[in-house]
Amino acid sequence: MRRWAITILLFAALAATSAVAADNPFFSKWGTPFEVPDFTRIKTEHYMPAFEAAMEQQRAEIDDIIDNPDPPSFENTIEVLEYSGELLDNVANVFFNLRSTDTNDAIDEIAKDVAPKLSALNDDINLNPKLFARVKAVYDERKRLELNTEQARLLEETYKGFVRGGANLSDDKKSQLREINERLSVLTLEFGENVLAENNAFELVIDDKKDLAGLPDNVIQTATETAVERDHAGKWVFTLHKASMIPFISYSERRDLREKIYRGYFMRGNNGDERDNKEILQEMASLRAKRAKLLGYKTHAHYVLDDNMAKTPKRVYELLDRLWKPALKRAKAERADMQKMIEEEGHDFKLASWDWWYYAEKVKKAKYDFDDEVLRPYFEVENVRKGVFELATRLFGITFHERFDIPKYHDEVRTFEVKDADGSLLAIYLIDYHPRASKRGGAWMSTFRSQHKVKGEKVIPIVINVANVSKPTADGPALLSLDEVTTLFHEFGHALHGMLSDCTYESLSGTSVARDFVEMPSQVIENWATEPEVLKFYARHHETGETIPDELMAKMKNAKLFNQGFATTEYLAASYLDMDWHTLTDAKPRDVLSFEKKCLDRLGLIPEIISRYRSGYFRHIFAGGYSSGYYSYVWAEVVDADAFQAFKENGLFDKETATKFRKYILARGGTEEPMELYKKFRGREPKIEPLLERRGLN
C-alpha cells in the first residue's frame, strides 16, 4: 500500500474517533506560504495525537517494505525506507524546535512522554530482522548495482546505521539495548531541563547604584529592564545568560559580586538540590559504556568516532595534545601579566577564575589601547544581520527578502525568502536572536524541513538560526560584543550549509555530515566577520552611521591573539573531559567531582582557568549530540583555517573559490566522505599550520 493510502486510512480513523484529532493541523497541508508550519493553529494538545498517528504510520510503512513480495532492491527497500516517516519528521521538527526556543511545562511533560516512545520506534526499525534482511540483501549486491554516488552513499549509510543500531545482536542483547536506549532518552531530557532551570533560577540582584561601578551604560540599562521583568523594579538584575554575565565579570569593579555570578555559572547542576545533574550524567556515562560493549566497541568514544573523520580516540587525543602544551604555556604567561597588574594596583590577592575576564580586559587596554566595549556601537544587531546577508550575496549571489505573511512561533522571530542568483527560490530562513526564559541557552541552527528531492523536484528547506545575544533596551537598539558578532556569523555558516544544500536524500542533505566536519563550514564563515573589507560594509556606528575607523580596526587586529591561551585552554579542557567520560572501558559508576578533578589535574590545568564546561552543565555531551565530539570544533578548525587560506590567497570574494566551496562543501552534504569533498575543493588535505598561526601557538 502506498504511503498516501495509509495516511488517508489513518486520518479517517482518527477523525472518526476524536474531534481534537480531526482538527489537528498536523493532519493536513499547512496552506501557508511555502508550507511553513502554521504556528498560529498548533496547540499543545495537538502534539501527542500527532506523534501517535505519525509513529503508527511509519510502522505501517515499515510493514509495507517487509511484506513486499518482490525481491529487495534499492528502489523498493532503501529508497522507500528513506522516504518513510514524513509525518513523524514534520511533527518532531516542529515540536523539538519549539521545545528549544519557546518551551513551557506542558511541552516538557510531552517530551518526557514521547522520548521513550520515539526511542522504542527507532529500535523497532533498527532491530527488525526481516527489514534488516532486505537491507542486507541489497547491500550484498551493491557492486553489481548501477548506483550513482549519492545512491551508493545512501545504501552504505543505511546498512551501517542498522549494524550500528544493533541489527546483528542476539535477541537477548537486543532487549538490553532497547532498555539502555529508552533510559538514555529520558536522562538526556532531564539533564537539559535541569540546566535550563538553573539558568532561569539564578539572579544577581543589586539595589545599591555604587555596586554598578565599572559597568558600561548599556549593560546597566539591560539590567534595569531585566529587574522589571523579574519583579525587582527599581533595582538591577544580572543573570547567567552570557549576554548578561560576560559583561558583568568583564567590567564590574566589585570582585565579590563577580565571584557570586561566576560561581553561580560554574556550579550549575552541582548544588545538591533537585536540579543536580551528577547522578544523571554518571548513569548516562555508564549506560553509554555498556551500550558500546554490547555493540562490539571498546568504549562509547570508539563507537561514536568510528563514524567520524577522526575514527579513533587516539587520533583525537593526539590533536588535543599537540595544542595543549603551547596553549597552556601561553595561558600561564597571560596569568603572570594579570597577577602583575593586580600587584601594581596595590592588591595582595591571588588571581582567581572570576578575576580572569576582568583583568584580561585591563591588560588588553594597557597593552593594545583597546577595549572590546568600544566596538559595540558599531555592531548594532540589524547592521550585523545585514552584514552576514551581504557576505552571502557577494560570495554566492544569493539574496534575502523579508516576508511578513509567514506564521511565526514568537513575535521576535523574523522570516526571509532566500533566492539564488538566477531568482529561483532556495530556502525560507528564520532568525530568533535574543534570550528569554522559555529558550535554552547558546546558539544553534536547525530546520523545520531539510532540503531534499521527491521525484526529481526540489523541496526547499526551512532553516532557523537561534541565538541569545544582547537584546534591545528601552533607550536603544541591541549592540553586540565582538564575540556575539562572531557567533551570528558562525551560526549563519550552518544556515548556509542547510540552505545551499542540493541533495536527493534528506538523510544526506545539508548538515547531515560527520560530527567533526559539520562545524567546518560555520567556522569558515566566521573568518569574514573581522576582515577589514567586510567590516567596512556592516560595522557602522548606530547613531552617526560612521563606518568603523581604520584605527579601531588596526587595534582590533593587533589584539587578535590576546587571551588565546585562555580561550584555547578552557576549550581543550572541556574536550579532554568529554573524551575521558566516554573512553571508560566499564560501566562502573564514577564519582563525578573526583573524576573531573582527576582529568583536569592530569592535564595540569591552572586553577585560574575553569574548563569551559564542567560536567554538571555540559549540555553538548549530555543533552546534545556531541558526546565524544566536543573536540570537533578544533578538528574542524584545522580544516576551516586551511580552507579560508584559499580565499586569502585568491581574494576574499573570489568567485571561482566561492563557487568551488559551495559546490563541494555546502551543496553536497554527506553524499561523499568529508575528506574527499574537501580535497575536491582545496586540491589536497588540510594542513595544521594555518590554525597554529591563527591562535598564535606556532
Side-chain angles (χ1 to χ4, degrees):
M1 189 181 293
R2 300 291 185 188
R3 178 197 287 165
W4 59 265
I6 298 168
T7 304
I8 290 172
L9 289 175
L10 282 169
F11 290 173
L14 284 164
T17 57
S18 170
V20 173
D23 296 333
N24 196 311
F26 286 106
F27 296 161
S28 61
K29 288 279 189 181
W30 293 115
T32 58
F34 314 108
E35 285 297 305
V36 172
D38 191 350
F39 302 108
T40 62
R41 292 169 53 210
I42 299 171
K43 299 179 180 178
T44 303
E45 59 263 30
H46 292 142
Y47 286 119
M48 272 316 296
F51 268 121
E52 295 287 1
M55 288 187 281
E56 191 61 34
Q57 177 178 319
Q58 186 162 27
R59 291 183 192 280
E61 292 166 350
I62 297 303
D63 288 342
D64 259 8
I65 298 173
I66 294 169
D67 296 339
N68 191 329
D70 296 331
S73 68
F74 180 83
E75 291 75 17
N76 71 20
T77 298
I78 307 303
E79 277 196 330
V80 175
L81 178 59
E82 168 69 14
Y83 286 115
S84 71
E86 181 181 24
L87 176 59
L88 184 55
D89 287 343
N90 292 342
V91 179
N93 286 342
V94 172
F95 178 79
F96 288 108
N97 271 309
L98 265 59
R99 185 172 182 270
S100 294
T101 57
D102 200 26
T103 194
N104 55 50
D105 290 343
I107 287 178
D108 287 342
E109 286 304 310
I110 292 171
K112 289 178 182 177
D113 188 11
V114 80
K117 294 179 180 180
L118 291 173
S119 175
L121 173 62
N122 187 60
D123 283 338
D124 286 346
I125 295 172
N126 282 333
L127 303 177
N128 189 307
K130 293 180 179 179
L131 180 60
F132 180 55
R134 289 186 67 93
V135 171
K136 187 175 185 303
V138 180
Y139 181 76
D140 289 344
E141 292 292 313
R142 63 192 182 282
K143 293 182 179 178
R144 287 186 281 274
L145 302 177
E146 296 182 358
L147 303 178
N148 62 33
T149 300
E150 190 169 352
Q151 289 172 328
R153 181 74 168 177
L154 178 65
L155 175 56
E156 176 76 27
E157 291 298 304
T158 301
Y159 175 77
K160 187 166 63 174
F162 274 87
V163 174
R164 289 173 58 81
N168 283 325
L169 295 179
S170 65
D171 288 344
D172 177 57
K173 289 185 176 181
K174 284 180 180 179
S175 295
Q176 294 179 53
L177 183 64
R178 285 177 181 274
E179 292 176 5
I180 291 172
N181 287 339
E182 180 177 332
R183 180 61 178 156
L184 283 170
S185 72
V186 174
L187 292 172
T188 298
L189 293 177
E190 291 178 353
F191 187 98
E193 285 178 7
N194 286 341
V195 176
L196 179 60
E198 291 273 67
N199 278 342
N200 289 335
F202 181 92
E203 52 186 27
L204 174 63
V205 181
I206 293 177
D207 54 15
D208 188 338
K209 194 171 184 178
K210 296 195 298 293
D211 293 337
L212 302 173
L215 295 174
D217 290 342
N218 66 297
V219 174
I220 294 173
Q221 180 60 35
T222 299
T224 302
E225 295 177 11
T226 303
V228 173
E229 293 170 4
R230 292 190 170 220
D231 297 324
H232 294 292
K235 301 179 182 180
W236 299 268
V237 172
F238 297 87
T239 71
L240 298 183
H241 291 293
K242 287 197 172 182
S244 177
M245 181 190 74
I246 297 300
F248 190 90
I249 60 176
S250 297
Y251 297 103
S252 172
E253 295 176 8
R254 283 290 304 271
R255 186 174 188 241
D256 58 329
L257 296 181
R258 296 199 308 269
E259 177 182 0
K260 184 175 182 179
I261 194 169
Y262 197 50
R263 188 175 292 278
Y265 176 77
F266 70 69
M267 287 299 290
R268 289 176 298 167
N270 183 29
N271 291 303
D273 55 16
E274 70 277 6
R275 296 188 294 266
D276 195 291
N277 269 332
K278 291 195 290 294
E279 288 189 11
I280 292 175
L281 73 92
Q282 180 186 83
E283 185 179 358
M284 290 182 72
S286 296
L287 288 172
R288 285 170 173 173
K290 185 177 180 180
R291 181 175 61 185
K293 285 291 175 62
L294 272 177
L295 294 170
Y297 292 89
K298 184 178 180 182
T299 69
H300 178 72
H302 284 84
Y303 167 70
V304 171
L305 296 172
D306 184 53
D307 205 32
N308 283 0
M309 293 178 74
K311 297 303 179 190
T312 66
K314 182 174 182 290
R315 292 190 69 192
V316 174
Y317 278 117
E318 285 174 350
L319 175 62
L320 301 181
D321 290 346
R322 183 165 184 182
L323 296 171
W324 179 256
K325 286 185 179 179
L328 186 61
K329 181 180 178 182
R330 178 174 284 274
K332 289 178 178 178
E334 293 165 357
R335 175 181 63 178
D337 286 342
M338 294 179 203
Q339 189 63 50
K340 181 180 179 183
M341 177 168 281
I342 290 171
E343 292 164 3
E344 288 175 348
E345 290 179 342
H347 302 301
D348 61 358
F349 63 81
K350 188 172 180 291
L351 181 77
S353 59
W354 46 86
D355 299 315
W356 192 289
W357 296 78
Y358 179 73
Y359 279 98
E361 285 299 320
K362 283 197 162 193
V363 171
K364 181 162 59 176
K365 192 167 186 177
K367 278 193 170 186
Y368 303 101
D369 188 26
F370 179 66
D371 180 349
D372 278 344
E373 281 299 302
V374 302
L375 293 174
R376 278 190 189 267
Y378 297 94
F379 291 150
E380 192 272 318
V381 69
E382 181 65 2
N383 287 339
V384 176
R385 184 210 41 93
K386 291 177 181 177
V388 295
F389 285 8
E390 177 66 19
L391 173 63
T393 300
R394 295 196 185 194
L395 285 174
F396 309 115
I398 65 177
T399 55
F400 299 78
H401 311 269
E402 189 160 13
R403 297 284 297 247
F404 300 95
D405 58 340
I406 295 175
K408 302 186 293 185
Y409 61 83
H410 194 279
D411 290 342
E412 293 179 354
V413 175
R414 296 175 66 182
T415 56
F416 299 85
E417 184 179 355
V418 187
K419 294 183 178 180
D420 212 340
D422 62 3
S424 61
L425 182 64
L426 268 178
I428 299 301
Y429 177 51
L430 290 69
I431 58 173
D432 181 1
Y433 280 165
H434 304 298
R436 54 180 173 267
S438 60
K439 182 196 288 188
R440 72 174 173 87
W444 63 92
M445 166 267 188
S446 186
T447 61
F448 285 97
R449 181 176 67 222
S450 297
Q451 181 273 324
H452 60 285
K453 296 176 184 176
V454 177
K455 296 181 179 178
E457 291 293 318
K458 187 173 182 178
V459 178
I460 65 161
I462 302 170
V463 176
I464 181 170
N465 269 160
V466 184
N468 281 276
V469 298
S470 301
K471 60 183 181 180
T473 67
D475 295 339
L479 303 179
L480 308 187
S481 68
L482 178 58
D483 182 64
E484 289 176 323
V485 170
T486 303
T487 295
L488 294 192
F489 272 78
H490 176 99
E491 297 306 331
F492 184 69
H494 283 307
L496 286 173
H497 204 176
M499 292 188 290
L500 298 182
S501 176
D502 187 18
C503 304
T504 300
Y505 304 114
E506 189 170 355
S507 64
L508 300 177
S509 72
T511 56
S512 297
V513 299
R515 178 63 69 187
D516 48 11
F517 189 69
V518 74
E519 296 298 335
M520 179 268 195
S522 55
Q523 291 178 188
V524 168
I525 297 300
E526 273 188 52
N527 288 279
W528 275 275
T530 53
E531 286 292 324
E533 192 175 344
V534 178
L535 285 164
K536 287 288 186 181
F537 66 68
Y538 83 86
R540 298 179 180 277
H541 198 283
H542 73 103
E543 292 179 334
T544 67
E546 172 199 17
T547 301
I548 187 168
D550 291 341
E551 179 186 5
L552 189 51
M553 287 192 292
K555 288 181 179 181
M556 184 168 62
K557 182 179 180 181
N558 291 337
K560 191 174 183 180
L561 296 181
F562 179 76
N563 213 34
Q564 276 299 308
F566 168 83
T568 308
T569 300
E570 64 149 9
Y571 163 76
L572 292 176
S575 300
Y576 278 109
L577 185 59
D578 170 28
M579 291 301 295
D580 282 9
W581 272 119
H582 294 116
T583 49
L584 296 174
T585 56
D586 61 71
K588 182 179 68 174
R590 264 71 173 182
D591 178 80
V592 172
L593 298 183
S594 297
F595 183 89
E596 186 174 277
K597 184 176 186 303
K598 183 178 179 181
C599 165
L600 301 178
D601 285 351
R602 183 188 82 247
L603 298 173
L605 180 65
I606 56 179
E608 296 83 1
I609 296 178
I610 290 174
S611 172
R612 181 174 296 179
Y613 297 101
R614 295 187 63 197
S615 303
Y617 55 92
F618 206 160
R619 287 188 59 120
H620 283 76
I621 67 172
F622 292 116
Y626 279 78
S627 63
S628 306
Y630 194 63
Y631 77 91
S632 62
Y633 289 92
V634 75
W635 183 281
E637 194 176 352
V638 172
V639 186
D640 99 66
D642 186 81
F644 189 64
Q645 193 66 30
F647 286 95
K648 297 285 283 186
E649 293 165 0
N650 300 320
L652 283 182
F653 302 106
D654 179 67
K655 290 298 182 186
E656 183 179 350
T657 308
T659 298
K660 288 174 66 178
F661 188 74
R662 175 175 177 174
K663 178 180 180 180
Y664 295 120
I665 304 298
L666 298 177
R668 298 313 303 144
T671 58
E672 296 182 55
E673 284 290 337
M675 189 56 73
E676 292 306 309
L677 289 172
Y678 186 80
K679 287 191 291 187
K680 287 179 179 180
F681 160 67
R682 195 69 164 106
R684 57 167 174 76
E685 292 193 1
K687 300 176 181 178
I688 197 173
E689 285 72 22
L691 169 62
L692 297 175
E693 181 180 349
R694 174 196 290 177
R695 287 185 174 257
L697 302 177
N698 51 354

